Amino acid sequence: MQRKDTPLAMFDTHAGAGMYDLTATPSQKTGEWKVGIGKLWGSNDPDWQPLLSIIKNINGDTDKLGYYPGSPLLMAEHLRIIDTLTLCETSDGPMKHLRDNFGNQRRIHIHQRDGYEALIALLPPKGAKRALIHIDPPFEQNDYAHLYDTVPKALHRFRQGVFAIWYPVKTRASALPFVNKMRALVGDDEKVLNLSMMTGLENTLAMNGTGMFIINPPFGFEAHIKKRIVKLERLLKQD
Ligand SMILES: C[S@@+](CC[C@H](N)C(=O)[O-])C[C@H]1O[C@@H](n2cnc3c(N)ncnc32)[C@H](O)[C@@H]1O
């Protein structure tokens, strides 16, 4: 999206803290990072270098994997002088980190506000004809209902927006109703791309995979990402 020299507005409706300390108790307890980024860390594969170089940078250019970037930091790293980034988060803890890490950057707007409601209020973006909208909810309680309600409204307000909606996958079959419903709500006029990856054995008890439903994927993105997802799935697959 940044091959063009025109402003891009980026939105992260569920921003989280922006950065995670993998040495802190919550990360140590689950150890999830070891079968995720832990397997990529140290790789020389050119496909992972854009991500790995950002991670190296936030770890003070060392080989130690201590901090891991959340979506706000990944997006902030790509901000050009003509772009903006809007971060929404409701919880006080992550909000404090967002303010500490990004509060003094003029092109980053931080809102302690419901991301669904904010998205509808803030679209179409001011000063940009293009937008990347990342939606990464916790998928608790009413998140499915909120997505079914918010995404069509947001799309109606900004037809050309690129929406990247993350979703959890327990089994491929259990994720299908969400994907099919989103597809139906978006309608036939919009191009959509559904990506998913299974790294654990399929069962309905845990999250064994991950998915992203993308509306209006940029030109050329599908070929670019599919090749990498196949490779990543192979690399992260657990016994
Ligand atoms: C899965 S995490 C986001 C992770 C983040 N995108 C990242 O890549 O690091 C979901 C976040 O959404 C926040 N949240 C929950 N409901 C929200 C809402 N309605 N609006 C905005 N943020 C919300 C939670 O506090 C939590 O920090």
Side-chain angles (χ1 to χ4, degrees):
M1 293 187 78
Q2 290 178 317
R3 283 191 190 145
K4 283 192 191 148
D5 224 0
T6 50
L8 176 66
M10 297 192 239
F11 293 86
D12 200 0
T13 58
H14 295 70
M19 187 150 76
Y20 303 98
D21 182 356
L22 300 181
T23 63
T25 315
S27 306
Q28 285 297 325
K29 233 187 225 164
T30 67
E32 278 175 345
W33 64 270
K34 291 180 191 154
V35 291
I37 187 60
K39 287 196 176 178
L40 282 188
W41 194 241
S43 161
N44 293 323
D45 187 328
D47 282 344
W48 318 132
Q49 296 316 308
L51 173 65
L52 294 182
S53 70
I54 292 176
I55 305 177
K56 275 209 173 112
N57 187 273
I58 61 173
N59 283 287
D61 277 326
T62 64
D63 286 335
K64 189 176 149 270
L65 179 57
Y67 291 101
Y68 183 73
S71 47
L73 198 143
L74 291 172
M75 291 163 105
E77 283 288 319
H78 290 92
L79 267 187
R80 301 167 301 177
I81 196 131
I82 52 176
D83 301 331
T84 56
L85 172 60
T86 302
L87 305 172
C88 298
E89 172 57 54
T90 45
S91 300
D92 292 340
M95 184 45 69
K96 182 179 177 329
H97 287 290
L98 289 177
R99 292 213 166 102
D100 289 349
N101 289 325
F102 306 108
N104 60 356
Q105 298 188 36
R106 214 165 42 88
R107 285 168 295 127
I108 302 185
H109 311 294
I110 303 172
H111 298 262
Q112 186 158 21
R113 180 175 180 183
D114 173 47
Y116 299 113
E117 169 269 318
L119 186 61
I120 292 170
L122 298 173
L123 289 178
K126 281 199 193 106
K129 292 200 174 75
R130 297 176 314 127
L132 171 64
I133 297 142
H134 179 230
I135 307 181
D136 182 16
F139 281 89
E140 287 162 354
Q141 295 157 352
N142 298 324
D143 280 309
Y144 286 102
H146 281 309
L147 286 169
Y148 299 149
D149 180 55
T150 304
V151 172
K153 285 182 186 158
L155 193 57
H156 185 70
R157 290 184 67 82
F158 196 56
R159 279 272 162 218
Q160 64 267 49
V162 176
F163 294 77
I165 306 157
W166 181 89
Y167 64 89
V169 179
K170 289 179 176 168
T171 68
R172 288 199 196 271
S174 70
L176 267 185
F178 170 71
V179 172
N180 289 341
K181 174 111 185 178
M182 288 303 298
R183 225 182 256 277
L185 285 170
V186 166
D188 293 335
D189 292 345
E190 253 48 65
K191 184 171 170 13
V192 302
L193 173 63
N194 178 46
L195 303 167
S196 69
M197 179 170 88
M198 295 298 301
T199 55
L201 292 177
E202 300 204 33
N203 67 68
T204 51
L205 302 174
M207 196 170 78
N208 303 300
T210 183
M212 192 163 267
F213 186 85
I214 303 176
I215 307 169
N216 297 325
F219 179 76
F221 179 68
E222 182 168 353
H224 172 94
I225 200 72
K226 277 194 170 162
K227 177 177 154 247
R228 286 161 178 81
I229 287 191
V230 169
K231 203 155 77 168
L232 188 62
E233 188 178 54
R234 214 176 293 137
L235 185 71
L236 300 187
K237 223 162 192 111
Q238 295 168 33
D239 294 340

